[in-house]
């Protein structure tokens, strides 16, 4: 039991950027929700769903933040990474890469 509590505590300390590396193309919608939790924003375009996770951890050493998006089609991951969802055409969604300032 102690190991399970420790594992949950460590997982709670990981950033979205660290957690998202546990996903693979083809991962199910349920896996995304289990790994990353409830998204901060959801968007549906045609057969695509886009889950957006806003940066949650800021440190004294990091002034910036990175938001992450997971794009699913038919309930499975097709793309994930830093950036925000952007509609491309009538029925497609891609991740727009963050702009460096």
């Amino acid at each position: 039991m102690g190991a399970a509590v420790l594992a949950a505590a460590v997982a709670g300390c990981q950033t979205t950027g660290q957690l998202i590396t546990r996903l693979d193309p083809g991962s199910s919608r349920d896996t995304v929700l289990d790994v990353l939790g409830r998204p901060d924003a959801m968007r549906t375009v045609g057969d695509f769903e886009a889950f957006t996770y806003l940066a949650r951890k800021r440190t004294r050493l990091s002034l910036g933040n990175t938001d992450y998006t997971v794009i699913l089609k038919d309930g499975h991951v097709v793309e994930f990474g830093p950036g925000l969802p952007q509609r491309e055409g009538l029925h497609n969604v891609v991740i727009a890469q963050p702009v460096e300032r």
Side-chain angles (χ1 to χ4, degrees):
M1 170 129 167
V5 172
L6 179 61
V10 170
C13 295
Q14 292 182 330
T15 65
T16 303
Q18 292 168 322
L19 292 172
I20 203 167
T21 63
R22 295 182 183 178
L23 299 179
D24 293 307
S27 294
S28 71
R29 185 179 198 275
D30 289 339
T31 299
V32 173
L33 296 173
D34 288 343
V35 170
L36 297 176
R38 185 180 174 151
D40 295 299
M42 295 173 61
R43 180 176 178 184
T44 302
V45 175
D47 295 336
F48 292 89
E49 285 182 284
F51 293 173
T52 301
Y53 294 88
L54 305 178
R56 297 174 196 273
K57 302 278 184 180
R58 291 189 183 210
T59 67
R60 290 183 291 157
L61 302 175
S62 175
L63 298 176
N65 64 337
T66 303
D67 299 330
Y68 290 87
T69 296
V70 178
I71 298 177
L72 302 104
K73 182 175 183 184
D74 299 325
H76 292 88
V77 173
V78 292
E79 185 178 0
F80 60 92
L84 295 173
Q86 177 178 314
R87 188 176 196 147
E88 184 177 75
L90 293 176
H91 303 288
N92 198 20
V93 178
V94 296
I95 299 173
Q97 298 302 311
V99 178
E100 295 291 325
R101 292 182 191 184

